[in-house]
């Protein structure tokens, strides 16, 4: 086995308009190694993988394969060089057979077209490399998700992959299926394959990885030998704070007032354990936890964006029907989603239209004059920087897009704001403005649930904080007990289980 790395990245930089997605990343990958890549959303994991696999070209830095500099014009070039990626939802055609999926677009030819006998034989041999013995004529979609993932890996190995990138391969699998997949990955490592494993379940990372590299805000925080580190150290690196760093500021309200939101035993997609939530007027509750902990799922169930299958939600004493966003908005409960570009703003509509869309029913019929008056008032109130109210919202900066989304819902005069990562991807100045706006709204009596991966935001903005792990609350902190030490430890201990 070679003593040098199969792949080495040095000083990789990638910029997009207004964003440095990767800033001088170094990463090496050795044969017979599983190198885990972890970090919260926006850390740069996806961009780095796209550069590794030829989807993006780096703006700076160098990629070396077996010590030789390489540049990939597209994923096909990376694949020909022996680098294959298996994504959370691998490309597949469920209605086609296992053999057809394995050899899609590269079927072995015969005298009269595709040599199906040869394709079946090669399919069985490819599957045997990952420990599978399947009926290769059976439709791929008839097998469980874990088997479909393994078929995708078998296809990559048949393409002579030497470096395998597994991007959240267990995200859609249950525990038994995930354990089966991890066992197969361990076997591939033993055969000398170099493997990059991207995941957010630390119990899996610590079960499979030899080394762990943490990314945060486009930068490499550090690389840890799995046997020489702990979950606590990795969590601290991901969150960007050590246990002994102090609280940013209290931000504590003068005290809870009238209860405006009551959720009882809420369950639904992505949230199996019953969840209770109470919120008083003028109170800000923070939800803290790592990616996949259930923060976003909870907000979507409470808001009606996802249909809950159990439990109740009351706003101002009014029961909300499950899965009915309009009823929630009418009752005074609104959600700003994490993915503001795909689920929040309408990029091809104007600032005016984006702000006024939630109030259009009140204009009967919608009036452009009234829309402009409303949008102008909200733009001034939130200091939205735009050339004109008719400017497309998609042309604004991230911070101003977030303000437009907030303006839309504030125009409905809500009682409760559910804010999912409201400051992600915006500049420092805009972050402070959004944080201050939330505190100002709370001072005026509005209640809010504030989700953030940045613990300093939770401490600066919130009166109480709930730490989530595995889609359930593992701790709730308030008052003097709400400090960085306690919050990080609650998250880390939720992740630790029986591990180191």
């Amino acid at each position: 086995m070679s003593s040098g790395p199969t792949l080495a990245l040095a000083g990789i930089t990638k910029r997009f308009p207004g964003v440095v997605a990767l800033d001088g990343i170094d990463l090496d990958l050795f044969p017979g190694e599983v190198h885990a890549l972890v970090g919260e959303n926006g850390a740069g994991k996806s961009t780095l993988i796209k550069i590794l696999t030829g989807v993006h070209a780096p703006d700076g830095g160098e990629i070396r394969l077996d010590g030789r500099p390489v540049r990939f014009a597209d994923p096909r070039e990376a694949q020909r060089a022996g680098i294959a990626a298996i994504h959370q939802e691998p490309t597949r055609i469920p209605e086609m057979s296992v053999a057809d999926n394995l050899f899609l677009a590269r079927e072995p030819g015969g005298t009269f077209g595709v040599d199906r006998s040869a394709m079946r034989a090669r399919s069985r041999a490819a599957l045997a490399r990952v420990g599978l013995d399947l009926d290769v004529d059976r439709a791929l979609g008839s097998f469980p998700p874990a088997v479909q993932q393994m078929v995708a890996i078998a296809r990559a190995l048949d393409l002579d992959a030497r470096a395998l990138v597994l991007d959240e391969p267990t995200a859609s699998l249950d525990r038994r299926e995930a354990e089966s997949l991890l066992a197969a990955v361990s076997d591939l490592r033993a055969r000398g394959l170099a493997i990059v494993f991207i995941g957010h379940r630390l119990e899996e990372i610590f079960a499979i990885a030899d080394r762990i590299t943490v990314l945060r805000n486009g930068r490499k925080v550090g690389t840890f030998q799995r046997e020489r580190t702990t979950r606590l150290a990795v969590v601290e690196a991901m969150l960007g704070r050590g246990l002994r760093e102090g609280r940013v500021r209290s931000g504590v309200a003068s005290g809870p007032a009238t209860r405006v939101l009551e959720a009882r035993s809420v369950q639904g997609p992505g949230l199996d354990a019953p969840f209770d939530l109470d919120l008083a007027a003028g109170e800000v509750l923070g939800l803290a936890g790592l990616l996949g902990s259930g923060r976003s799922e909870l907000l979507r169930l409470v808001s009606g964006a996802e249909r809950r299958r159990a439990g109740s939600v009351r706003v101002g004493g009014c029961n909300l029907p499950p899965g009915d966003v309009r009823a929630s908005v009418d009752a005074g409960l609104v959600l700003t989603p994490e993915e503001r570009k795909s689920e929040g703003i309408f990029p091809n509509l104007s600032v005016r239209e984006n702000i006024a869309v939630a109030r259009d029913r009140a204009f009967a019929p919608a009036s452009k004059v009234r829309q402009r008056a409303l949008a102008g008032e909200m733009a001034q109130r939130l200091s939205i920087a735009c050339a004109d109210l008719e400017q497309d919202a998609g042309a604004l900066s991230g911070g101003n897009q977030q303000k437009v989304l907030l303006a839309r819902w504030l125009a409905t005069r809500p009682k409760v704001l559910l804010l999912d990562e409201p400051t992600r991807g915006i500049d420092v100045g805009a972050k402070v403005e959004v944080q201050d706006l939330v505190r100002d709204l709370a001072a005026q009596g509005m209640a809010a649930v504030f989700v953030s991966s940045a613990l300093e935001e939770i401490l600066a903005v919130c009166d109480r904080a709930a730490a989530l792990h595995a889609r359930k609350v593992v701790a709730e902190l308030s008052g003097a007990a709400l400090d960085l030490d306690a919050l990080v430890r609650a998250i880390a201990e939720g992740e630790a289980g029986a591990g180191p």
Side-chain angles (χ1 to χ4, degrees):
M1 189 180 293
S2 170
S3 60
T6 300
L7 270 173
L9 282 65
I12 295 296
T13 300
K14 183 65 182 178
R15 300 178 183 85
F16 296 105
V19 177
V20 179
L22 296 174
D23 188 1
I25 301 294
D26 297 332
L27 185 78
D28 50 22
L29 182 63
F30 288 85
E33 175 189 47
V34 176
H35 194 142
L37 195 62
V38 301
E40 292 288 86
N41 280 338
K45 304 187 301 294
S46 296
T47 303
L48 186 62
I49 294 311
K50 288 177 180 178
I51 286 175
L52 260 180
T53 56
V55 177
H56 292 324
D59 295 321
E62 183 178 64
I63 302 174
R64 287 182 171 268
L65 181 64
D66 293 326
R68 299 186 303 273
V70 293
R71 286 186 76 86
F72 304 129
D74 54 45
R76 288 182 180 272
E77 280 196 8
Q79 194 174 79
R80 284 194 291 268
I83 302 170
I86 310 299
H87 300 285
Q88 177 180 341
E89 297 293 339
T91 302
R92 58 183 178 261
I93 304 178
E95 297 79 15
M96 293 178 65
S97 72
V98 170
D100 286 326
N101 273 274
L102 277 166
F103 288 93
L104 189 65
R106 58 187 191 96
E107 297 86 350
T111 305
F112 302 103
V114 175
D115 186 340
R116 299 206 64 85
S117 178
M119 190 164 75
R120 290 188 185 97
R122 284 185 59 184
S123 295
R124 295 186 191 101
L127 294 172
R129 295 180 68 183
V130 295
L132 290 179
D133 180 12
L134 306 176
D135 177 357
V136 298
D137 291 319
R138 184 173 154 187
L140 179 63
S142 67
F143 290 98
V147 172
Q148 296 183 39
Q149 288 279 22
M150 294 306 299
V151 170
I153 293 174
R155 174 183 166 90
L157 296 182
D158 192 72
L159 290 166
D160 295 323
R162 297 166 56 239
L164 186 63
V165 179
L166 300 176
D167 190 359
E168 301 277 10
T170 64
S172 60
L173 308 183
D174 63 28
R175 182 173 293 277
R176 182 183 55 80
E177 291 173 330
E179 289 173 352
S180 175
L181 182 70
L182 293 178
V185 171
S186 182
D187 185 55
L188 295 174
R189 170 179 53 196
R191 298 187 210 173
L193 203 66
I195 301 169
V196 178
F197 188 98
I198 297 94
H200 64 262
R201 298 172 180 169
L202 288 190
E203 60 269 27
E204 293 179 357
I205 297 296
F206 274 76
I208 195 67
D210 299 292
R211 288 188 295 156
I212 303 167
T213 288
V214 178
L215 300 184
R216 188 176 71 250
N217 297 330
R219 295 183 177 180
K220 176 180 170 180
V221 177
T223 296
F224 303 84
Q225 292 287 341
R226 188 255 303 168
E227 294 180 348
R228 299 177 185 174
T229 191
T230 65
R231 288 169 171 79
L232 179 58
V234 172
V235 169
E236 287 183 349
M238 291 170 66
L239 298 178
R241 295 285 174 176
L243 286 177
R244 286 161 295 282
E245 296 183 46
R247 185 169 180 174
V248 176
R249 70 175 177 87
S250 68
V252 177
S254 58
T258 306
R259 186 177 294 173
V260 292
L261 173 63
E262 300 172 87
R264 293 288 177 269
S265 302
V266 171
Q267 291 177 270
L271 199 72
D272 295 326
F275 192 100
D276 294 339
L277 186 154
D278 288 302
L279 200 60
E283 184 181 31
V284 183
L285 170 67
L287 298 184
L290 299 182
L291 187 65
S293 60
R295 303 166 304 180
S296 297
E297 290 85 350
L298 174 61
L299 294 196
R300 294 182 66 82
L301 288 169
V302 170
S303 70
E306 292 284 353
R307 187 179 182 88
R308 65 183 185 274
R309 61 171 176 264
S312 63
V313 177
R314 291 168 61 87
V315 173
C318 174
N319 282 308
L320 301 184
D324 190 336
V325 172
R326 174 52 65 183
S328 296
V329 172
D330 289 344
L333 175 69
V334 298
L335 167 69
T336 65
E338 178 181 7
E339 299 296 336
R340 63 173 172 270
K341 290 186 177 180
S342 59
E343 299 179 5
I345 67 161
F346 302 103
N348 296 322
L349 296 184
S350 68
V351 172
R352 166 183 57 81
E353 292 167 312
N354 267 274
I355 292 175
V357 66
R359 285 282 304 278
D360 267 354
R361 292 191 309 164
F363 293 146
S367 160
K368 187 173 180 178
V369 173
R370 291 187 178 184
Q371 285 184 347
R372 284 192 64 85
L374 174 67
E377 175 189 344
M378 298 307 298
Q380 183 176 16
R381 179 179 173 188
L382 272 67
S383 301
I384 297 172
C386 57
D388 184 85
L389 293 175
E390 300 306 316
Q391 181 181 4
D392 284 353
L396 303 180
S397 68
N400 282 297
Q401 288 181 11
Q402 186 64 62
K403 289 180 184 179
V404 166
L405 188 54
L406 284 168
R408 174 194 303 165
W409 295 120
L410 290 178
T412 68
R413 300 185 181 92
K415 299 180 179 73
V416 182
L417 279 173
L418 305 180
L419 305 169
D420 195 353
E421 296 282 6
T423 66
R424 172 170 290 156
I426 65 179
D427 63 43
V428 174
K431 285 184 179 182
V432 172
E433 288 181 324
V434 171
Q435 292 169 10
D436 287 346
L437 174 64
V438 174
R439 289 308 315 171
D440 289 344
L441 292 170
Q444 297 166 29
M446 194 176 297
V449 180
F450 191 97
V451 170
S452 178
S453 300
L455 296 191
E456 61 269 24
E457 281 200 311
I458 297 290
L459 298 171
V461 175
C462 302
D463 307 311
R464 289 189 292 136
L468 280 76
H469 166 67
R471 301 177 178 184
K472 61 183 178 182
V473 173
V474 294
E476 187 170 321
L477 306 168
S478 61
L482 178 55
D483 62 25
L484 196 59
D485 186 318
L487 196 52
V488 173
R489 192 172 295 281
I491 294 170
E493 288 177 352
E495 286 286 347

